[in-house]
């Protein structure tokens, strides 16, 4: 059930008409922007780690039969006043402009250790225990400088802040390994992206759901949840009818009384007519601006795609800059990201609340997801899926590989 007339709600991909009616309802798109149908503009852009959990979800459910993917050309980090490629393995570390010659060797040693570490083989541990030692202790062991620690933690392990430094190292080491393995899968970068935009994901699930007898209702505003005398949900009031249900699974906007606001995300959707400077003329990329580089508490993320991904006409690029709001002037907070884009043809800035459920849903059978955060990848979304599955079923989500499970191909 979706109140919109398009698939995907907050994570939809909109054509020009839909996009302008959402952000500039009193204005028509310029004719120079081309045909309506050539645009599929993501409201919330996110890339998929090639070996990540989101790809396992898609292959396990077999929804990949309805989707095509393309590789994202590069993964970059803003450090020392410039944009540089994130080194993904030992050989890239040795050629990276992010570090001096001695630091490159130390970075290489760290990556070799992380890749080789086996719980059952103490000879690979080099005196470290990733279940006991903190990440700060690991970095100290390899003598890594603060700047190197930063891009490992934020651009490879994709941590949202620096709290990981005081936590045990396993989570970060596994994330660095996932990053490196994802790069190896297709080369160039660890990320892939569906052709025609992220809005194709919910459409693909809708098709698959129809195969199993599911019904998808667009343009249906679920105005109210209906409860019985015991406080358990028994249905949804939508338009002029009531749909009965044993449980309701929804995003925060459908149950405003059951959620609390914990912050906001600001996003700037930018139309460009050129690749982002310093990205090797890439048709697509992710850039992470670590918090300390721009004196913030949260990282700034830039996701860029182009006509190569069937999301805009030839010659155009879509770049989305996003971050967690920290001040009363959100549009100022993304300026450091906008500066990296070069000349911008047009920009659409919007702010979205970050909401989380107050209860776990077991009392009233209303299970609510978290809002999409500012990250330009799906790792935090997958964490939420696991959390919701555990709340709904009482068991962890275990994806067993099926015999006929297809691999995801990305050109």
């Amino acid at each position: 059930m979706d109140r919109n007339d398009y698939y995907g709600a907050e994570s939809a991909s909109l054509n020009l008409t839909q996009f302008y009616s959402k952000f500039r309802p009193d204005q028509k798109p310029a004719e120079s922007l081309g045909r309506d149908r050539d645009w599929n503009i993501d409201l919330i852009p996110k890339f998929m780690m090639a070996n990540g959990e989101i790809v396992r979800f898609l292959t396990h459910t077999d929804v990949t039969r309805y989707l095509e993917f393309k590789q994202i050309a590069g993964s970059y980090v803003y450090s020392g006043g410039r944009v540089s490629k994130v080194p993904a393995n030992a050989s890239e570390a040795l050629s990276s402009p992010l570090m001096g010659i001695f630091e490159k060797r130390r970075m290489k040693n760290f990556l070799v250790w992380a890749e080789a570490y086996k719980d059952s083989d103490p000879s690979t541990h080099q005196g470290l225990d990733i279940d006991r030692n903190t990440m700060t202790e690991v970095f100290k062991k390899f003598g890594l400088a603060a700047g190197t620690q930063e891009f490992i933690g934020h651009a490879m392990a994709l941590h949202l802040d620096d709290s990981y430094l005081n936590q045990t190292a396993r989570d970060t080491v596994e994330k660095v390994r996932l990053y490196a393995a994802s790069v190896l899968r297709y080369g160039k970068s660890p990320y892939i992206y569906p052709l025609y935009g992220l809005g194709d994901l919910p459409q693909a699930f809708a098709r698959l759901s129809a195969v199993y007898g599911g019904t998808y209702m667009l343009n249906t505003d679920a105005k109210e949840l209906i409860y019985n005398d015991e406080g358990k949900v028994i249905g949804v009031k939508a338009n002029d009818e009531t749909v009965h249900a044993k449980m309701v699974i929804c995003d925060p906007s459908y149950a405003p009384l059951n959620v609390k606001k914990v912050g906001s995300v600001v996003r700037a959707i930018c139309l460009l007519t050129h690749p982002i400077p310093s990205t090797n003329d890439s048709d697509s990329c992710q850039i992470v601006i670590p918090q300390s580089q721009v004196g913030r508490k949260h990282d700034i993320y830039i996701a860029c795609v182009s006509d190569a991904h069937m999301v805009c006409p030839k010659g155009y690029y879509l770049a989305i800059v996003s971050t967690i709001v920290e001040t009363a002037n959100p549009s100022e907070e993304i300026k450091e990201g906008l500066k990296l884009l070069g000349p911008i043809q047009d920009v659409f800035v919007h702010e979205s609340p970050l909401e989380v459920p107050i209860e776990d849903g077991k009392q009233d059978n209303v299970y609510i997801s978290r809002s999409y955060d500012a990250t330009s990848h799906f790792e935090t979304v997958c964490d939420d899926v696991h959390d919701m599955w555990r709340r709904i079923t009482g068991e962890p989500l275990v994806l067993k590989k099926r015999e006929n499970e297809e691999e995801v191909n990305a050109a």
Side-chain angles (χ1 to χ4, degrees):
M1 208 179 271
D2 196 325
R3 65 169 68 91
N4 302 296
D5 60 357
Y6 48 79
Y7 290 94
E10 267 196 290
S11 59
S13 303
L14 306 184
N15 63 34
L16 264 190
T17 302
Q18 292 168 330
F19 186 71
Y20 267 77
S21 69
K22 183 175 179 68
F23 292 105
R24 293 181 188 164
D26 54 348
Q27 189 179 331
K28 285 191 173 180
E31 286 188 17
S32 60
L33 291 175
R35 294 182 304 185
D36 206 38
R37 67 180 189 209
D38 288 342
W39 292 87
N40 294 293
I41 305 169
D42 289 340
L43 296 180
I44 298 177
K46 288 192 182 284
F47 297 151
M48 302 172 192
M49 195 77 84
N51 271 22
E53 197 72 352
I54 182 69
V55 172
R56 291 180 62 214
F57 289 167
L58 298 177
T59 51
H60 185 83
T61 53
D62 205 23
V63 80
T64 44
R65 70 170 100 160
Y66 302 112
L67 296 164
E68 285 182 78
F69 294 88
K70 187 168 177 67
Q71 194 182 0
I72 295 300
S75 174
Y76 296 82
V77 64
Y78 178 78
S79 182
R82 63 178 175 180
V83 173
S84 304
K85 190 175 187 300
V86 179
N89 51 45
S91 61
E92 281 193 9
L94 289 176
S95 61
S96 173
L98 283 165
M99 301 164 284
I101 187 162
F102 296 113
E103 186 69 4
K104 285 177 180 178
R105 194 166 296 283
R106 289 190 283 267
M107 170 75 173
K108 178 194 169 190
N109 291 341
F110 166 77
L111 289 174
V112 168
W113 167 79
E115 202 61 39
Y117 191 100
K118 288 188 178 68
D119 290 327
S120 58
D121 184 358
S123 69
T124 65
H125 296 184
Q126 295 191 32
L128 291 167
D129 181 344
I130 59 175
D131 288 320
R132 285 189 180 175
N133 291 109
T134 64
M135 210 53 219
T136 295
E137 291 167 338
V138 171
F139 284 147
K140 189 176 178 183
K141 161 87 176 174
F142 288 95
L144 294 174
T148 310
Q149 295 179 29
E150 189 174 66
F151 75 71
I152 290 171
H154 291 263
M156 295 183 77
L158 303 173
H159 288 299
L160 305 182
D161 54 41
D162 282 340
S163 59
Y164 77 94
L165 288 168
N166 300 316
Q167 294 164 5
T168 53
R170 179 174 292 278
D171 181 47
T172 300
V173 169
E174 287 181 350
K175 284 178 173 175
V176 168
R177 288 164 70 141
L178 169 63
Y179 187 98
S182 295
V183 173
L184 278 176
R185 188 159 185 180
Y186 299 117
K188 288 200 293 190
S189 98
Y191 300 110
I192 58 175
Y193 178 84
L195 291 183
Y196 305 102
L198 289 182
D200 253 34
L201 292 181
Q203 285 195 59
F205 274 107
R207 286 182 205 147
L208 191 66
S209 135
V211 171
Y212 291 95
T215 303
Y216 214 100
M217 299 167 73
L218 292 177
N219 241 341
T220 307
D221 194 3
K223 290 187 173 70
E224 185 187 346
L225 301 181
I226 300 165
Y227 298 85
N228 63 15
D229 295 338
E230 295 166 6
K232 291 194 180 294
V233 76
I234 55 170
V236 178
K237 199 168 189 178
N239 298 341
D240 294 326
E241 56 185 334
T242 300
V243 180
H244 294 282
K246 292 177 182 174
M247 72 169 71
V248 171
I249 302 169
C250 63
D251 74 36
S253 69
Y254 289 95
L257 300 177
N258 301 44
V259 298
K260 63 180 177 183
K261 185 180 175 184
V262 293
S264 297
V265 179
V266 59
R267 296 183 178 91
I269 300 173
C270 306
L271 308 188
L272 311 178
T273 52
H274 56 83
I276 295 178
S278 304
T279 61
N280 203 23
D281 288 339
S282 297
D283 62 23
S284 53
C285 66
Q286 176 191 254
I287 304 173
V288 177
I289 306 176
Q291 55 196 49
S292 68
Q293 293 290 324
V294 286
R296 291 176 48 78
K297 296 175 190 164
H298 299 89
D299 296 350
I300 299 173
Y301 296 88
I302 301 172
C304 179
V305 284
S306 66
D307 63 279
H309 306 85
M310 308 296 189
V311 294
C312 53
K314 195 161 184 61
Y316 280 95
Y317 295 76
L318 285 170
I320 294 91
V321 183
S322 50
T323 191
I324 303 285
V325 174
E326 295 175 6
T327 70
N329 194 354
S331 55
E332 280 292 311
E333 300 187 44
I334 47 175
K335 277 202 166 172
E336 293 299 327
L338 297 176
K339 281 182 194 172
L340 301 181
L341 302 185
I344 299 170
Q345 181 156 337
D346 207 347
V347 61
F348 301 78
V349 179
H350 67 289
E351 191 181 340
S352 308
L354 266 178
E355 295 173 323
V356 298
I358 297 168
E359 304 286 345
D360 61 11
K362 291 173 185 171
Q363 295 297 316
D364 57 4
N365 291 337
V366 178
Y367 298 96
I368 306 165
S369 65
R370 302 170 69 93
S371 303
Y372 292 104
D373 63 18
T375 59
S376 51
H377 52 79
F378 271 100
E379 299 309 294
T380 50
V381 176
C382 294
D383 292 342
D384 194 29
V385 171
H386 277 282
D387 177 57
M388 289 187 73
W389 181 273
R390 192 178 288 106
R391 285 191 275 139
I392 293 165
T393 66
E395 298 174 358
L397 174 59
V398 180
L399 300 176
K400 293 176 181 170
K401 193 170 173 71
R402 303 193 321 273
E403 285 181 26
N404 60 343
E405 194 167 295
E406 289 185 16
E407 289 288 305
V408 166
N409 293 313

